[in-house]
Amino acid sequence: MTAPRIGSVCTGYGGLDIAVQAVFGGSLAWVADNDPGAALILAHHHPKVPNLGDITAVDWHGVEPVDIYIGGYPCQPFSTAGKRKGTSDARHLWPHIARALGVLRPRLAVFENVAGHLSLGFDTVLGDLAALGFDADWCCVRASDIGAAHQRNRLFFYAWPADSGGPGLARGWAERTTAHRRGAVADAIDLGEHGSGARGTGRDEPAARRLAAAHPAGVGEREPADQAQSLAGSGQARQEPGRGGGGAAADADRDGREEQQRSEPGLGTRRDADGRGPQRWGPYAAAVERWAQVIGRPAPRPTDDLGRLNPPFVEWLMALDDGHVTAVPGLSRTAQLKALGNGVVWPQAVAALRILLARSEPEAWGRAAA
């Protein structure tokens, strides 16, 4: 069986790409992201991989076919941290993704979005998949389920041609690419037993979680930059220019946003230069230490010398290698935080794919058309 070729849309810094390659192996044929910051990151890490740019303008008939089509399409239309305009939001890109699926006909498609998508817009997605002749299955996994210091509840789903008779190809890829999986973090994932999961919207969602959430009352489905602010000493959403109150980061265009000065209650003083002592983390010390053990390196300091959220800390929260985003030449601090805030925690996606594959016996797979 040849290694799959992968096409990635709404790629961002490539978190979902990393997860899919960790599970299935394969290589990127092309990416697609027209955000300037994301484009810089992708060009830095994949200089020979074409970036198709704006997917609303792509003629998919002229694009190289791929085995696996993946995307973490914009969450703002569905996030509870935003206005939840759903399919009426200008950032709703699913119709363009569906159009690409209809042309490219991949053997597998993998997607990520906020858990709030289940209650807003996901019925449209499933209907479109069924109309295109795809079957689908899905689950929700929190980053805290795999030991992360933030909750970040996310929906993961994948689809395959319904006339293929089942997910055998996906299972085959996964079984033969065990050696490709990124070692320490993926091996540390422990989600417990999922067979007795609580009923979700149309599927059993994993409920047996051995790892408690870092702060169940204060994190919810907010975006990672905001969750990081809680850990760094501010639990309030950053304000959007021109809006009263604590405007939600998930609904904002974060380019050019005014920076907020933040205090650090309970986190010690800035004279703690390395930022790694337990005294700096207050009630979050156990969660931070747990994630450090999972990914195999200590947390960077949460704030910079001006008391602002430190991008390397958010990079660490997202389980990325040091400098994956923050060492990209020409990428501003604002662009770094935007990319990180829109990204996928790749070990979380690996865990979700494992759940889906584990229950993917052909007779038990969900039906998008049901």
Side-chain angles (χ1 to χ4, degrees), residues 257-275:
R257 193 203 311 253
E258 295 176 358
E259 295 295 343
Q260 304 294 318
Q261 294 295 324
R262 300 179 181 86
S263 61
E264 300 181 69
L267 294 175
T269 69
R270 296 191 184 106
R271 287 192 294 273
D272 178 15
D274 65 4

Side-chain angles (χ1 to χ4, degrees), residues 69-366:
Y69 180 101
I70 66 177
Y73 54 95
C75 65
Q76 290 92 341
F78 315 107
S79 175
T80 57
K83 295 180 180 179
R84 303 205 81 199
K85 294 180 180 179
T87 56
S88 65
D89 195 305
R91 295 165 293 190
H92 180 50
L93 295 182
W94 172 256
H96 303 284
I97 292 174
R99 179 168 55 89
L101 291 175
V103 173
L104 297 175
R105 307 297 304 177
R107 292 186 279 179
L108 187 68
V110 179
F111 302 103
E112 176 267 357
N113 213 291
V114 293
H117 193 11
L118 279 173
S119 60
L120 182 63
F122 195 53
D123 55 342
T124 299
V125 169
L126 293 181
D128 289 346
L129 288 172
L132 290 166
F134 285 87
D135 209 342
D137 196 9
W138 61 92
C139 68
C140 287
V141 175
R142 298 176 186 269
S144 57
D145 293 340
I146 61 163
H150 54 316
Q151 287 192 4
R152 194 171 178 81
N153 194 17
R154 289 297 181 264
L155 166 69
F156 297 89
F157 65 102
Y158 65 173
W160 66 97
D163 58 6
S164 67
L169 185 67
R171 290 175 65 84
W173 278 330
E175 289 167 359
R176 70 180 289 273
T177 56
T178 301
H180 291 92
R181 293 173 181 159
R182 294 164 68 110
V185 178
D187 291 342
I189 295 171
D190 182 4
L191 291 175
E193 298 299 326
H194 298 284
S196 59
R199 293 296 297 178
T201 304
R203 288 294 181 276
D204 287 335
E205 294 184 14
R209 299 184 171 105
R210 295 179 181 172
L211 296 170
H215 198 306
V219 180
E221 293 178 8
R222 299 170 70 186
E223 298 306 297
D226 291 325
Q227 294 165 349
Q229 287 168 29
S230 291
L231 293 166
S234 173
Q236 302 299 317
R238 287 176 287 179
Q239 293 186 358
E240 297 175 31
R243 294 183 63 181
D251 196 58
D253 180 357
R254 281 170 284 192
D255 282 330
R257 193 203 311 253
E258 295 176 358
E259 295 295 343
Q260 304 294 318
Q261 294 295 324
R262 300 179 181 86
S263 61
E264 300 181 69
L267 294 175
T269 69
R270 296 191 184 106
R271 287 192 294 273
D272 178 15
D274 65 4
R276 293 172 181 171
Q279 69 275 11
R280 286 190 63 85
W281 304 110
Y284 303 106
V288 170
E289 177 59 25
R290 180 183 65 200
W291 191 229
Q293 291 180 2
V294 170
I295 66 174
R297 65 179 189 275
R301 59 185 299 184
T303 56
D304 63 17
D305 290 338
L306 298 178
R308 304 174 304 176
L309 182 63
N310 191 23
F313 173 65
V314 186
E315 189 173 55
W316 175 85
L317 281 177
M318 304 302 280
L320 294 172
D321 293 339
D322 289 337
H324 183 90
V325 169
T326 57
V328 173
L331 197 64
S332 69
R333 176 182 175 276
T334 298
Q336 291 173 16
L337 288 174
K338 179 179 180 181
L340 291 165
N342 288 332
V344 174
V345 180
W346 71 265
Q348 179 185 2
V350 167
L353 287 169
R354 286 183 180 178
I355 290 170
L356 293 171
L357 285 168
R359 70 187 189 199
S360 63
E361 296 300 329
E363 65 273 15
W365 270 60

Side-chain angles (χ1 to χ4, degrees), residues 17-97:
D17 307 11
I18 295 171
V20 167
Q21 289 178 293
V23 173
F24 300 117
S27 59
L28 287 171
W30 42 262
V31 297
D33 202 313
N34 63 340
D35 178 83
L40 276 176
I41 297 169
L42 294 171
H44 178 72
H45 289 287
H46 308 290
K48 296 182 179 180
V49 176
N51 184 346
L52 306 183
D54 182 2
I55 65 171
T56 69
V58 173
D59 178 4
W60 295 104
H61 293 89
V63 173
E64 176 187 344
V66 291
D67 301 299
I68 305 178
Y69 180 101
I70 66 177
Y73 54 95
C75 65
Q76 290 92 341
F78 315 107
S79 175
T80 57
K83 295 180 180 179
R84 303 205 81 199
K85 294 180 180 179
T87 56
S88 65
D89 195 305
R91 295 165 293 190
H92 180 50
L93 295 182
W94 172 256
H96 303 284
I97 292 174

